[in-house]
Amino acid sequence: LHLHPEIEILNATDGQILLALSNFDICIKVSGAKVSIEDATWHPQFGITIKNKKLSFLFTQSVMSVAITWKNK
């Protein structure tokens, strides 16, 4: 799951990732998989590369569930 460069990762624990955007707080809850945060790049236009992050999921069970919630700041 590629994250926009403006999204900040506040906290990442086993099963929950907290993210922040300028006007939103985002919570991602995961079961059935381990989540890792990896470096990535975003390409808004040809020839432009911006560093960002992505979430990778390694299945630990046959089914993975993801719940994404957000709220205004």
Side-chain angles (χ1 to χ4, degrees):
L1 176 64
H2 290 261
L3 302 176
H4 190 277
E6 293 178 3
I7 294 178
E8 177 185 3
I9 300 171
L10 299 178
N11 192 14
T13 60
D14 195 30
Q16 182 170 292
I17 302 99
L18 299 176
L19 308 172
L21 197 51
S22 60
N23 52 347
F24 292 102
D25 288 326
I26 304 162
C27 178
I28 301 175
K29 292 185 181 181
V30 178
S31 63
K34 290 189 177 191
V35 182
S36 62
I37 299 167
E38 300 177 8
D39 292 331
T41 56
W42 181 57
H43 306 274
Q45 295 179 14
F46 184 76
I48 297 176
T49 300
I50 298 173
K51 292 181 181 182
N52 69 336
K53 299 290 183 184
K54 69 177 179 178
L55 304 178
S56 292
F57 302 91
L58 176 63
F59 281 76
T60 58
Q61 299 175 8
S62 61
V63 176
M64 177 183 86
S65 72
V66 177
I68 301 173
T69 57
W70 62 91
K71 64 179 180 178
N72 289 326
K73 287 189 175 181

